[in-house]
Amino acid sequence: MTTTPPTQETEPEDELDSALVTARRQLERAATHVDVDPGVVTRLKHPTRVEQVSVPLEREDGSVEVFTGYRAQHDDVRGPYKGGLRFHPEVTAEECTGLSMWMTWKCAVMDLPFGGGKGGIAVDPKSLTDDETERLTRRFAEELRDVVGPTKDVPAPDMGTDAQTMAWFMDAYSMQQGETIPGVVTGKPPVVGGSYGREEAPGRSTAIAAREAVDYYDRDLSETTVAVQGFGSVGANAARLLEDWGATIVAVSDVNGALYDPDGLDTHAVPTHEEEPEAVLEHGAPETISNEDVLELDVDVLIPAAVGNVITADNADAIAADIVVEGANGPTTFAADTILDERGVHVIPDILANAGGVTVSYFEWLQDINRRQWSLERVNEELEEHMLEAWADVRDEVEAKDLTWRDAAYVVALSRIAEAKATRGLWP
Ligand code: GLU
């Protein structure tokens, strides 16, 4: 069934905003900096559709449970809807809609021929056995079969899902369609049409964004201290790359707390969430601190790479970093963004910083369509090139209009989307 997409245009100010409220506010603010048809902005506040499905699962004990799944498709003016599927207890239609809007901007900032989508199932993946996760994923793929496809909507991994989830999704879809269609999802294992480098890509682009920001503000990476919240794929890959490039990583954390060493941690020795879940604290450091304290450390660069809404009006005044690079999607609330800007803290937004994930998803999609595999070297080279181009496009707007990095990224995205909408026109 297709749910009625959320329609309310402006919601009351509320500290822990939903992704949708934040996404709409950010759009409204960005629109004030671009010469864009107001009709286009109005259209972009609403998703094309939000599909809601029931996903029944027979548990190991023989009982049957029904979970709710969603796929929000925000806009496809520039190409198929694109974005992750998350398995998380807090997944809702509204959250997926907001996150799908961010995907539209992210793909446009990177100049990829995709629109924005996001979906998921409201479920705690930790409560499922591997077998249950597989069956739930396969049934979800079947329920979404009519609305996804390599030229319609291409899901990918997100919170609580991974390459194996995508392999099951692709297999279920392909079995029902009667042919192998690897391009229906990205983020698959390379052996079934996945791309080398896709797993590390969001962390790699986050590290590239941090490196470019440090350079832009006339500093040297070898004299830069970094704190990273979250040691999943994004946080760990960003931390390890920045350490390899000469930065000093003074803190990394997971849900249980953070390791802190002012002289720098060996981040390769700390297991990622995928390597050993929630084990960061077991891998010794002179000091451990709380997960919240990581955000307030006096470092040059802070990378929130765990969950959304961690930098809020309550702690924005206490953020001591000079540069925040958003590895997670939506870690900074709208209110906190304003406070950080007033305090002169530069925020490199998620839609630019972690866009390496969807960029390598695009490379994967191209490889699937062309039935050929690129080398890891080629993937990383092309990712670097795409990131530097996007960085330069956003930097030009920062400088030309004296904007924050977030507003500038939105201006780049919105200009491209508005031009495509104007050229295609409103039908009928
Ligand atoms: N879930 C990732 C994101 O938020 C990747 C999306 C994709 O590769 O399609 O950007």
Side-chain angles (χ1 to χ4, degrees), residues 6-333:
T7 50
Q8 207 183 331
E9 298 235 340
T10 26
E11 292 77 2
E13 196 122 355
D14 168 15
E15 178 42 36
L16 281 192
D17 300 326
S18 71
L20 180 58
V21 172
T22 304
R24 280 185 175 151
R25 287 211 180 108
Q26 289 167 341
L27 169 61
E28 275 166 15
R29 195 171 61 190
T32 65
H33 301 295
V34 198
D35 183 20
V36 55
D37 174 357
V40 166
V41 179
T42 303
R43 288 170 67 191
L44 288 170
K45 284 184 191 165
H46 304 275
T48 305
R49 72 174 63 78
V50 183
E51 190 76 5
Q52 179 179 323
V53 295
S54 294
V55 194
L57 171 72
E58 186 176 332
R59 306 299 301 248
E60 302 291 358
D61 66 2
S63 65
V64 172
E65 219 171 309
V66 178
F67 296 92
T68 305
Y70 306 92
R71 184 68 181 171
Q73 298 178 330
H74 174 243
D75 186 80
D76 69 343
V77 73
R78 290 169 46 88
Y81 303 101
K82 186 82 193 80
L85 290 177
R86 49 175 66 177
F87 288 178
H88 191 273
E90 278 153 35
V91 166
T92 61
E94 178 162 335
E95 190 203 39
C96 291
T97 307
L99 291 164
S100 71
M101 287 174 80
W102 283 333
M103 286 309 304
T104 304
W105 322 137
K106 198 183 284 191
C107 292
V109 166
M110 298 307 296
D111 212 3
L112 307 177
F114 288 134
K118 191 76 96 177
I121 301 181
V123 62
D124 179 1
K126 283 189 248 169
S127 70
L128 303 172
T129 64
D130 286 352
D131 194 46
E132 288 172 337
T133 308
E134 174 173 351
R135 283 184 284 111
L136 189 73
T137 304
R138 289 183 180 280
R139 182 60 187 250
F140 190 34
E142 174 56 17
E143 297 299 338
L144 290 184
R145 189 150 62 93
D146 287 345
V147 298
V148 298
T151 55
K152 271 193 205 170
D153 183 353
V154 186
D158 203 275
M159 281 165 62
T161 57
D162 58 15
Q164 180 61 67
T165 324
M166 294 305 115
W168 289 325
F169 194 107
M170 181 278 261
D171 184 67
Y173 180 85
S174 296
M175 296 295 286
Q176 290 293 75
Q177 296 293 103
E179 57 182 316
T180 294
I181 307 176
V184 65
V185 287
T186 58
K188 302 174 295 293
V191 70
V192 288
S195 177
Y196 293 118
R198 170 62 184 81
E199 166 71 28
E200 305 81 45
R204 177 170 284 272
S205 66
T206 302
I208 293 172
R211 186 194 69 202
E212 292 306 306
V214 165
D215 184 57
Y216 185 79
Y217 290 107
D218 288 329
R219 298 171 193 206
D220 201 305
L221 215 46
S222 65
E223 285 156 23
T224 298
T225 53
V226 183
V228 182
Q229 188 193 47
F231 214 61
S233 158
V234 184
N237 282 301
R240 288 174 177 178
L241 270 172
L242 286 168
E243 186 191 340
D244 293 348
W245 295 342
T248 306
I249 316 300
V250 299
V252 299
S253 77
D254 65 16
V255 283
N256 300 317
L259 298 179
Y260 175 61
D261 185 346
D263 294 328
L265 296 160
D266 174 3
T267 57
H268 290 272
V270 182
T272 69
H273 184 78
E274 287 71 26
E275 288 159 3
E276 204 182 326
E278 297 174 18
V280 161
L281 288 192
E282 288 161 32
H283 291 265
E287 246 185 275
T288 59
I289 58 175
S290 81
N291 212 345
E292 294 72 38
D293 288 346
V294 176
L295 299 170
E296 299 175 12
L297 284 174
D298 189 5
V299 287
D300 300 305
V301 177
L302 170 67
I303 303 183
V307 291
N309 281 341
V310 294
I311 304 180
T312 68
D314 289 338
N315 64 357
D317 273 318
I319 302 297
D322 302 316
I323 300 168
V324 175
V325 182
E326 295 185 330
N329 287 319
T332 313
T333 65

Side-chain angles (χ1 to χ4, degrees), residues 336-347:
D337 227 4
T338 310
I339 299 170
L340 292 178
D341 182 35
E342 281 164 6
R343 294 187 49 233
V345 179
H346 309 291
V347 180

